[in-house]
Amino acid sequence: MSVIKAVGQQHTKSEFAYLLQGYLSQSAEVCELFTGATNMTTVVNLIAALSYRENDERFFVTSLDTELVFSVLFDGFHLLFIKEVQHGSLNQAEHLILRLTQYYAVKLEAEFVSEQADGSQSEQHLELRNKLKQVLMASSQLDGLYLQRRGQQNNMGR
């Protein structure tokens, strides 16, 4: 029975990854990130694998929006941030997930700034804003870490 369940979960993840690829493909800025060796199919499958939890309603939707995509990306971002800080051994697909999360965090933050005049903030809205701040702060920390590592590599040759 567990084999059937595992196959069903793989099917759910692959359907979500296909839907996610269609959503990401709509943005020219996102498509520009995939000019390297790693293609979008690899990245969306990794996103689905990192974010999937059994009975997660996000994986059973028929259409995606920016908030849902960010929510799924946030799960993977959190894991990859820890991996990068502790080990510094992310592959290209994992780096792309970090950049995609940062891209959507900046996009959502800009939308929130323009909606700020509304003044209505639900608990869900506040939780999303908190996640956005976490991603933006962590991205800034990662950029500093990358600069520091580059500096150390350059100094080793002198």
Side-chain angles (χ1 to χ4, degrees):
M1 203 58 142
S2 63
V3 172
I4 294 171
K5 186 177 180 180
V7 170
Q9 289 175 348
Q10 286 300 107
H11 181 71
T12 301
K13 286 187 259 186
S14 67
E15 282 184 343
F16 181 80
Y18 180 77
L19 189 63
L20 182 59
Q21 184 169 356
Y23 182 84
L24 295 178
S25 297
Q26 295 173 3
S27 170
E29 292 173 350
V30 169
C31 289
E32 287 177 11
L33 295 173
F34 296 96
T35 57
T38 304
N39 62 28
M40 191 181 294
T41 303
T42 301
V43 174
V44 296
N45 283 314
L46 182 56
I47 292 167
L50 288 171
S51 300
Y52 182 78
R53 284 173 276 153
E54 194 171 349
N55 299 322
D56 187 347
E57 70 254 3
R58 298 177 303 175
F59 283 79
F60 297 100
V61 297
T62 56
S63 66
L64 299 175
D65 61 19
T66 306
E67 288 184 27
L68 179 65
V69 170
F70 176 77
S71 172
V72 171
L73 286 168
F74 180 80
D75 295 341
F77 180 90
H78 189 259
L79 295 171
L80 295 173
F81 175 79
I82 293 168
K83 181 180 177 185
E84 179 66 357
V85 170
Q86 289 181 348
H87 304 289
S89 59
L90 297 184
N91 62 38
Q92 187 177 26
E94 293 168 334
H95 276 287
L96 285 168
I97 293 171
L98 294 177
R99 291 299 159 212
L100 282 170
T101 309
Q102 183 180 16
Y103 169 79
Y104 281 105
V106 168
K107 184 176 179 175
L108 281 170
E109 185 68 25
E111 288 177 15
F112 283 136
V113 169
S114 66
E115 293 174 359
Q116 207 168 22
D118 181 7
S120 63
Q121 294 191 359
S122 66
E123 185 176 321
Q124 183 180 9
H125 180 85
L126 292 174
E127 182 180 332
L128 182 60
R129 291 283 309 235
N130 186 34
K131 287 181 178 181
L132 291 173
K133 287 179 184 178
Q134 288 178 30
V135 166
L136 296 174
M137 286 176 50
S139 294
S140 175
Q141 290 174 347
L142 281 176
D143 290 341
L145 180 65
Y146 295 148
L147 282 173
Q148 179 185 8
R149 286 180 183 165
R150 260 188 255 129
Q152 288 174 346
Q153 289 174 348
N154 289 342
N155 289 337
M156 294 180 97
R158 294 182 185 170

